[in-house]
Amino acid sequence: AVHEGQVVSAQELTVLLQPLLTQNSRNLVLFLQDRLSIDDFTYFSESYGNKNPFQNEILQSSPSSLVLPAVDCKATRYLVSDLQESGDWKLMNLTNLNISQLEVNASNPNLLVVQLQPLSSDLKEISTLDTIAENDKIIGRVTMELQERGIHFSVIYTALRPSRISRRTDVVASVRRQLMATEEEDSLSYPPLNVTTGNDTCILFYASNFSLKANRSVLIDLTNATFLTQDVDISASECSDSNTTLSLKYTNPVNGISSLEIRFLMTNKFYAASARKWFTLDSVEIVQDGEKFAKFNVSGISAPAEYSFHCQLVGTSNLYPARLVPSNEAKDWDVFISELQIQGFNIINNQFSYASDCTGFFTSGIWMGLVTSIILLWILTYGIHMIMQLTTNSRFDDPKGPALSVPQTE
């Protein structure tokens, strides 16, 4: 029995999935989404005035089912690797959703991982509703195809992190801040992508969200493929003491794009003004299908050579602290990277060095506070000065005597 509000741990999830792993017909389909919560099934239902995006009846039609209100993020994040360790599974990643060409040997255990479309990063309810409805159709197509082939299978529908986190309103502010910090730290627990030359790591790259938008319409979320499943080719990356290139190659990242390569070009130079070496990210290049080339000039991404670089938001928007300035055909692309941390030189013990953040000490809010304080202080000083200039009369009129006459010379 799973009670409402209980978060299932990794150990508890393994016990609950044990009957699934020991049955005779072990064909498992894992549908992975970037974020999902049990409340989404009611929030986006017709009772809230929206068209219900969940049309599949696979849960009701299955002979047995299990619904878990909440599962620990670490358990779902490492679910694929844990399932592979639990048995001799044949792992198949379905990216182009062409299930008709998929060859499934029912005599051996198969683990089919389907990466669903990520929910919109701008958190707009309408776009989120459309994405969930499209993912529901994908689940229906895949399961229907397997049923028509006569393949017995089990389905797991889950996500890497929750979309809704409920918090108690009676928690004090200090505890709430601590809980929010813990949730943020937990959501960023997967390791960074590393490029090695021999036994040494020469490039480290991390982001909590790594997304592109082609032609201002097609959203390509590369976060899971880069950091979780690591379904990315980094063999073309190059490392040296002065120039480093991080090359990320993806195969069929989305329908309509057969191959996609993203290059991060970094240099390490000595600057006499600071009497030390600095590393800079000079440009970002995107190559689509080996032909279409797009280049972004980078502004604001640099750090001392011994440091790594960190920035909360990096992309093509003018509002981001570190911006990618498009040139030539790059205007057809939008780039969004959140919580970027990258290091291409002087990596010690396969870990990021101290991070140089893109946000300086004097932020816009601090400058506004300082200017406002100076203006108010000037007004106060001027007022006190004017009050100190006030003087009283040296002579007073006596009502019982003659009128006081003050000559104009005085």
Side-chain angles (χ1 to χ4, degrees), residues 30 32 74-87 89 91 111 113 228-229:
L30 176 61
L32 268 180
K74 293 182 180 180
T76 56
R77 190 172 293 121
Y78 300 107
L79 182 59
V80 176
S81 58
D82 293 341
L83 288 174
Q84 286 185 286
E85 293 177 359
S86 63
W89 296 87
L91 178 63
L111 176 59
V113 180
L228 186 65
T229 61

Side-chain angles (χ1 to χ4, degrees), residues 121 209-213 313-316 320 334-338:
S121 59
N209 192 342
F210 182 28
S211 303
L212 307 176
K213 187 174 286 187
L313 292 175
V314 176
T316 52
Y320 293 165
D334 288 328
V335 182
F336 174 77
I337 308 175
S338 60

Side-chain angles (χ1 to χ4, degrees), residues 2 26 66 83 87 102 112 149 157 169 180 208 213 220 244 267 308 344 371:
V2 180
R26 291 198 299 166
L66 174 65
L83 288 174
L102 185 66
L112 179 61
R149 293 191 188 186
Y157 180 29
T169 57
M180 292 174 67
S208 62
K213 187 174 286 187
I220 309 173
T244 296
T267 58
S308 63
V371 172

Side-chain angles (χ1 to χ4, degrees), residues 89-109:
W89 296 87
K90 180 182 178 182
L91 178 63
M92 293 176 287
N93 289 294
L94 188 60
T95 55
N96 56 2
L97 299 178
N98 193 359
I99 189 66
S100 59
Q101 299 181 359
L102 185 66
E103 297 181 359
V104 179
N105 186 1
S107 60
N108 297 325

Side-chain angles (χ1 to χ4, degrees), residues 209-248:
N209 192 342
F210 182 28
S211 303
L212 307 176
K213 187 174 286 187
N215 298 322
R216 305 298 176 95
S217 59
V218 181
L219 181 63
I220 309 173
D221 193 332
L222 304 174
T223 309
N224 297 338
T226 306
F227 304 104
L228 186 65
T229 61
Q230 294 191 356
D231 188 16
V232 57
D233 182 11
I234 58 176
S235 59
S237 300
E238 299 177 354
C239 298
S240 69
D241 294 336
S242 58
N243 295 280
T244 296
T245 301
L246 172 61
S247 174
L248 307 175

Side-chain angles (χ1 to χ4, degrees), residues 142-173:
V142 174
T143 54
M144 185 62 67
E145 178 69 23
L146 294 177
Q147 288 177 352
E148 292 178 353
R149 293 191 188 186
I151 299 175
H152 298 281
F153 62 92
S154 301
V155 171
I156 296 179
Y157 180 29
T158 185
L160 299 177
R161 61 182 185 270
S163 60
R164 305 176 187 276
I165 301 175
S166 59
R167 299 183 178 91
R168 293 173 53 188
T169 57
D170 56 343
V171 180
V172 296

